Amino acid sequence: MGHENITEFILLGLFSDEDAKAACFVLFVLCYIAILLGNLLVLLTIRGSRLREQPMYFFLSYLSFMDVCFTSTVAPKLITDLLAQQKTISYNGCMAQMFYAHFFGATEIFILVAMAYDRYAAICRPLHYMVIMSRQVCYVLVMASILGAFTHSIMQVLIITELPFCGPNQLDHYFCDVFPLLKLACMDTSLLVIVIITTTGVLSILTFVALVISYIIILSTLRTYSSQGCRRALSTCGSHITVVFMFFLPLIFTYVPMADSVSNDKVFALFYTMIAPMFNPLIYTLRNTDMKNAMRKMWCRDARFEGK
């Protein structure tokens, strides 16, 4: 391609085995449908019931919405590419995909932090809970999450758009992300790799550690509760902790590279782009009595209306 600016990238995808591609096509289509249905079910149940008045569910509805958006920036292209002969993405398309993936992903991280703060307030400061987590505070936390994520994503895109691309345009990934793109730049990017590890990687680790510490504080406070109150609080906290681990651990492994591990990156990325968003609705509904009751009320009521 000489030294012209690259106008498109070729995505190498997950793997080259043709039989595996067909099987994965079916598998990922089913996963994507499950993600859409599961998260939309959670979203509609919360918005259509009294649960939306509670801060925890207010945040959960945003988390489900972000899951749908986040997966939708990656999954449709991943699925169609499994059957495509030539997996290309335009330069602008690539930048847009990277921006949205980071934007929705980072918003999710910040919302998970807001949810941990909400659980801390509910369990450790029950008398002041309604003041600490007023509706205004909830909106401010969501807006702060969106602004923080926007700043993070813009930074990633600005770093990449400044790079010269002149040689090979084969991207060893199934979607556009920072590290695979840095490998293709016609310049020494070792300093930029350090910058991204410090911004994204360290941010992920610090957030994860902060979340784990907050849950340790919450769980130690729970010891003073009655056994029934303790069980109830444990089940909601258990759901949160599960989601946090499922989302953060693969993320940390991706953005804090131990070695030159792009093939592993793809597997880890699959975890937080497809697997975690699929399990989130299950984790939050199966272990949550309020959610199950709200679903039963709402969907059975709709069925009754249709019956009439």
Side-chain angles (χ1 to χ4, degrees):
M1 290 195 69
H3 284 276
E4 300 160 13
N5 266 351
I6 281 176
T7 54
E8 63 176 22
F9 293 102
I10 296 165
L11 295 165
L12 294 182
L14 266 174
F15 32 61
S16 49
D17 183 357
E18 291 304 320
D19 298 334
K21 280 183 189 172
C24 282
F25 174 78
V26 176
L27 183 67
F28 290 152
V29 165
L30 293 174
C31 283
Y32 188 47
I33 292 168
I35 289 165
L36 294 182
L37 292 179
N39 284 295
L40 289 173
L41 181 67
V42 170
L43 187 63
L44 292 172
T45 302
I46 293 170
R47 291 297 161 99
S49 70
R50 301 291 299 274
L51 289 180
R52 67 178 182 278
E53 292 159 20
Q54 296 179 38
M56 182 176 115
Y57 296 104
F58 171 81
F59 290 128
L60 181 55
S61 67
Y62 277 98
L63 189 72
S64 292
F65 179 60
M66 287 303 149
D67 265 340
V68 169
C69 297
F70 180 48
T71 306
S72 297
T73 58
V74 175
K77 179 91 179 112
L78 165 64
I79 290 164
T80 50
D81 278 352
L82 283 168
L83 298 185
Q85 285 302 309
Q86 187 75 318
K87 309 172 189 51
T88 57
I89 185 166
S90 70
Y91 179 85
N92 290 344
C94 187
M95 294 305 117
Q97 189 186 47
M98 186 174 74
F99 172 80
Y100 287 118
H102 277 267
F103 174 66
F104 293 126
T107 309
E108 264 194 61
I109 288 175
F110 293 132
I111 287 175
L112 284 169
V113 173
M115 289 170 90
Y117 177 62
D118 167 66
R119 289 301 80 208
Y120 167 78
I123 290 163
C124 302
R125 308 284 299 281
L127 299 176
H128 305 105
Y129 179 64
M130 295 318 289
V131 180
I132 296 172
M133 295 308 290
S134 66
R135 191 38 53 120
Q136 281 90 341
V137 171
C138 291
Y139 279 118
V140 166
L141 287 171
V142 169
M143 286 312 296
S145 300
I146 290 168
L147 275 172
F150 181 79
T151 312
H152 162 78
S153 313
I154 278 290
M155 269 173 55
Q156 307 289 320
V157 172
L158 288 176
I159 286 172
I160 297 298
T161 48
E162 290 302 305
L163 296 178
F165 291 104
C166 52
N169 65 338
Q170 290 193 331
L171 202 65
D172 190 11
H173 214 302
Y174 60 88
F175 72 101
C176 286
D177 204 3
V178 186
F179 284 138
L181 282 163
L182 284 176
K183 285 197 163 72
L184 296 183
C186 313
M187 60 175 273
D188 179 25
T189 56
S190 48
L191 195 66
L192 286 174
V193 170
I194 295 166
V195 169
I196 287 163
I197 290 172
T198 18
T199 53
T200 312
V202 174
L203 183 74
S204 307
I205 290 177
L206 289 178
T207 315
F208 179 66
V209 169
L211 287 171
V212 170
I213 291 169
S214 73
Y215 283 117
I216 290 169
I217 296 168
I218 291 168
L219 294 175
S220 63
T221 310
L222 281 178
R223 288 202 306 241
T224 59
Y225 274 50
S226 66
S227 61
Q228 194 188 355
C230 184
R231 249 201 317 277
R232 198 181 157 85
L234 262 178
S235 82
T236 52
C237 283
S239 308
H240 284 246
I241 293 165
T242 313
V243 168
V244 164
F245 270 86
M246 279 183 68
F247 191 80
F248 274 92
L249 289 181
L251 197 68
I252 288 167
F253 282 121
T254 305
Y255 288 101
V256 186
M258 311 304 162
D260 195 19
S261 57
V262 169
S263 53
N264 293 345
D265 282 359
K266 289 194 255 189
V267 179
F268 291 135
L270 202 58
F271 228 90
Y272 60 81
T273 52
M274 295 288 281
I275 297 167
M278 185 171 68
F279 280 104
N280 285 2
L282 289 173
I283 292 164
Y284 280 115
T285 49
L286 294 180
R287 300 190 54 160
N288 192 312
T289 323
D290 292 343
M291 197 74 194
K292 281 191 277 200
N293 291 342
M295 277 185 177
R296 216 169 286 130
K297 263 190 208 158
M298 189 171 157
W299 303 107
C300 293
R301 186 183 65 204
D302 290 352
R304 276 204 303 276
F305 279 133
E306 279 171 22
K308 285 180 183 176

